[in-house]
Amino acid sequence: MDIADIHKNSKLLLDGVPYNVVEADFMKPGKGRAIYRLRLKNLFDGSALDRTFHSGEKVDEANIRAEEKQYLYKDGDYYIFMSTDTFEQSFIAEEQLGDKKSFLKDGDVVNVLMLDDRAIDVTINTFVELKVVKTEVSSRSDTITAQNKQAVLETGYIINVPPFIKEDDILKVDTRTGTYVERVTTKK
Amino acid sequence: MADAEYRRLAHLKPNLERRALIYQFTRAFFRGRGFLEVETPVRMPEVAPEQHITPLASEDWFLSTSPELHMKRVLAAGYDKIFQFSHCFRKGEQGRGHNPEFTMLEWYRSRANYQQMIHDTEQLIVTLANELQFGHHIQYQNQDVDLTLPWPRVTVRNAFRYAAGWDPLAEPDPERFDIDLVTKVIPSFPPCRPIVLLDYPAVLASLACLKPSEPVVAERAEVFIGGLELANAYSELRDQREQVRRFREEIRQIQRETGRAMVIPRKFLKALVRLPECGGIALGIDRLVMLFCDAGSIDEVMLFTVDRI
């Protein structure tokens, strides 16, 4: 497509790598060629890139769409997802998933960003509920002084929690910060 | 949405008050110097063919990209000093310093050249700064700008040698010129002073005449303040054959690059033979208002930008 049709949040493909347009700055000498200065975010690794284009240049639009998929299981270094619609499976490398892997549990339905037929990213809900699989029992005095302690969640993520949290409790976690929000249910 | 518009428009009012004052003082400035305010059509059958300015169509005609051709026809009829505030339309130009519909302040002086037009511009802006109670210093985007006259002049050759490492007069390359101007040369200008960039390569002359003593140079100058390209001045080309040649070249380039067909502006060319020796300049009023309102974006000085109409 023509560079003039690129706006903020357009998705481009440069040398096979998909980018999101974070900022598009239009500059033009009165009598001269239009210059487009783009701030781009690499959709594979999140890195930033600044590129300058001029009027008349063509760029490839990245065919990117979000699809609802269920996280099935982890196989070696790959996380396997399945479309809830077509049952097609796709995978994302653990490395590419980054911190998001801490908040994905088997059976979760998430939005997976697809570049053509390739999964490149997932959108995790802002809040997720995860079960505590391991934490130390707090003594009475710890409870009074309200010292936080560590707990291991079912995804393997280690989180700071208040002393009253016990194993098998289900916690609400803020995925933006990776922090504890509240206890949802407690072991009967 | 309606709420957001209500808040935005209310918030713009101080800038629009200042905008109105700038119009008022500008009119007084020109009237005091014997200029006649004119109005030329905004919708027209022919515009100057310019490779990097795309006109908007209006039925079989165009919306004005610049009042230049009509104003020169007025000069050719013997009017010697004229000015105009004119709405201009340029397709696809939208950004912090651009809106597809904008206002140009354009003025012409007979028996004058590009240097005298720059002198007028210096006088106008210093007068406006005084009338608006700024004195010789304004603040623009956290930078003090000293408007004391005269403003520094730098030739295109020296500015490009310094900031981009090449000489656009020795090796003309219009494409590289535009990119380096925006990404290297303008950012190299000291922000504390206005700057006049002058003597453009002949290939970028457009409607300016060439320097008789140095024909690789066009008598064209531009004024920059606070990184804003404010005004573009010419010693106006009066040679009809040369003008036809340049228009044909532009039409050929436009056809080749975009497939658009443009016509030669005939009425203008017929009048050109009567054009007196003169200088002309076009100044982007919206950007001048941005400067005096310390606005970083054109939508802070314009009620309805194209995305809000």
Side-chain angles (χ1 to χ4, degrees):
Chain A
M1 67 197 300
D2 197 283
I3 186 69
D5 297 324
I6 298 297
H7 301 290
K8 191 172 170 176
N9 290 325
S10 295
K11 310 283 188 286
L12 310 182
L13 207 55
L14 302 175
D15 305 321
V17 179
Y19 291 90
N20 183 46
V21 177
V22 182
E23 249 180 71
D25 225 359
F26 174 88
M27 290 173 297
K28 183 181 179 302
K31 298 284 180 192
R33 210 169 264 275
I35 313 289
Y36 302 82
R37 270 225 284 232
L38 305 186
R39 165 139 299 185
L40 301 162
K41 185 181 160 199
N42 182 320
L43 290 174
F44 282 156
D45 63 13
S47 61
L49 176 72
D50 289 329
R51 279 282 293 267
T52 301
F53 296 86
H54 58 74
S55 60
E57 277 192 279
K58 302 273 184 259
V59 284
D60 290 328
E61 193 177 8
N63 175 23
I64 287 188
R65 64 198 188 282
E67 269 182 26
E68 214 168 63
K69 287 180 190 283
Q70 188 175 37
Y71 168 53
L72 295 181
Y73 56 88
K74 188 180 171 202
D75 182 9
D77 290 338
Y78 293 96
Y79 282 69
I80 313 297
F81 296 84
M82 182 181 73
S83 163
T84 50
D85 184 30
T86 62
F87 305 102
E88 290 279 336
Q89 290 194 5
S90 40
F91 57 87
I92 301 182
E94 180 169 357
E95 186 187 84
Q96 211 164 312
L97 217 45
D99 294 338
K100 291 173 184 169
K101 68 181 182 201
S102 306
F103 309 112
L104 261 183
K105 65 173 193 289
D106 299 1
D108 278 352
V109 174
V110 290
N111 267 320
V112 176
L113 216 53
M114 302 293 292
L115 168 63
D116 299 319
D117 292 328
R118 186 170 158 199
I120 55 170
D121 198 5
V122 300
T123 313
I124 300 274
N125 290 336
T126 310
F127 298 105
V128 294
E129 294 179 359
L130 294 167
K131 189 157 77 174
V132 176
V133 294
K134 190 161 181 273
T135 190
E136 315 235 317
V137 178
S138 302
S139 67
R140 179 67 50 187
S141 65
D142 285 344
T143 313
I144 291 160
T145 55
Q147 288 267 335
N148 275 4
K149 61 177 184 177
Q150 290 195 325
V152 182
L153 303 180
E154 58 188 310
T155 56
Y157 182 61
I158 299 171
I159 188 169
N160 279 321
V161 295
F164 58 81
I165 297 297
K166 299 186 294 291
E167 283 177 14
D168 292 336
D169 282 352
I170 298 201
L171 310 184
K172 184 171 171 183
V173 178
D174 185 331
T175 61
R176 294 166 300 187
T177 53
T179 50
Y180 167 88
V181 180
E182 62 183 5
R183 181 166 62 179
V184 184
T185 58
T186 184
K187 193 174 127 188
K188 293 287 176 313
Chain B
M1 197 61 200
D3 265 7
E5 172 165 313
Y6 169 84
R7 278 196 302 275
R8 179 178 168 271
L9 294 183
H11 177 77
L12 288 187
K13 196 162 179 235
N15 285 353
L16 292 165
E17 295 274 5
R18 190 165 289 172
R19 184 175 182 123
L21 284 175
I22 289 169
Y23 276 58
Q24 182 187 323
F25 297 138
T26 300
R27 286 197 160 98
F29 175 89
F30 284 111
R31 291 302 283 156
R33 284 164 176 75
F35 282 77
L36 177 67
E37 181 166 4
V38 297
E39 286 182 76
T40 57
V42 162
R43 190 171 167 271
M44 52 192 64
E46 48 190 39
V47 296
E50 293 187 83
Q51 207 187 332
H52 300 302
I53 296 178
T54 309
L56 284 161
S58 169
E59 294 191 326
D60 294 343
W61 286 14
F62 298 109
L63 296 179
S64 170
T65 54
S66 152
E68 179 160 4
L69 304 190
H70 282 104
M71 289 182 84
K72 285 183 179 169
R73 283 161 68 182
V74 177
L75 283 161
Y79 293 67
D80 66 342
K81 286 187 276 185
I82 53 173
F83 77 102
Q84 167 162 226
F85 290 96
S86 168
H87 274 236
C88 298
F89 301 81
R90 295 178 180 184
K91 191 177 176 184
E93 302 195 3
Q94 194 183 348
R96 282 186 301 119
H98 292 83
N99 190 63
E101 177 177 359
F102 63 101
T103 308
M104 195 85 99
L105 167 65
E106 195 145 327
W107 71 96
Y108 290 84
R109 234 184 215 283
S110 58
R111 297 175 299 280
N113 65 15
Y114 71 134
Q115 302 267 14
Q116 280 148 312
M117 304 317 287
I118 294 297
H119 178 74
D120 279 349
T121 310
E122 289 179 306
Q123 296 294 327
L124 170 68
I125 291 177
V126 165
T127 302
L128 291 174
N130 276 324
E131 297 279 9
L132 295 166
Q133 315 293 327
F134 285 110
H136 276 79
H137 288 261
I138 55 170
Q139 291 291 319
Y140 186 64
Q141 304 293 290
N142 298 316
Q143 182 69 48
D144 181 84
V145 184
D146 177 3
L147 298 175
T148 308
L149 298 179
W151 296 340
R153 266 85 166 146
V154 60
T155 61
V156 166
R157 169 177 271 161
N158 286 340
F160 272 73
R161 274 184 181 159
Y162 169 74
W166 62 291
D167 179 354
L169 296 181
E171 31 177 338
D173 182 343
E175 188 169 309
R176 189 175 171 204
F177 184 93
D178 292 336
I179 294 172
D180 282 0
L181 176 67
V182 165
T183 59
K184 293 177 181 168
V185 177
I186 298 174
S188 78
F189 294 156
C192 56
R193 290 285 278 155
I195 198 154
V196 179
L197 187 62
L198 72 175
D199 294 349
Y200 278 63
V203 286
L204 297 168
S206 193
L207 284 80
C209 64
L210 305 182
K211 232 183 181 57
S213 59
E214 198 185 2
V216 293
V217 167
E219 293 198 347
R220 174 179 167 197
E222 290 210 289
V223 176
F224 295 86
I225 307 181
L228 295 170
E229 180 193 17
L230 273 185
N232 181 27
Y234 296 149
S235 300
E236 301 295 348
L237 179 67
R238 298 157 63 216
D239 179 338
Q240 190 196 47
R241 287 175 64 181
E242 170 65 8
Q243 188 67 76
V244 169
R245 191 193 64 75
R246 290 189 200 172
F247 278 162
R248 288 208 187 286
E249 175 60 23
E250 290 288 322
I251 289 171
R252 206 177 55 78
Q253 294 276 5
I254 294 167
Q255 177 78 49
R256 206 187 54 190
E257 283 207 12
T258 69
R260 270 189 300 123
M262 298 284 291
V263 294
I264 279 266
R266 287 190 195 163
K267 285 189 175 167
F268 163 72
L269 286 166
K270 280 180 189 154
L272 195 58
V273 290
R274 291 178 181 275
L275 188 73
E277 187 184 333
C278 64
I281 187 161
L283 182 151
I285 273 285
D286 308 289
R287 294 194 192 151
L288 187 65
V289 179
M290 282 169 69
L291 186 72
F292 282 125
C293 290
D294 192 13
S297 173
I298 200 163
D299 64 0
E300 294 170 47
V301 298
M302 206 177 252
L303 280 170
F304 299 100
T305 46
V306 68
D307 49 335
R308 295 182 169 97
I309 293 170

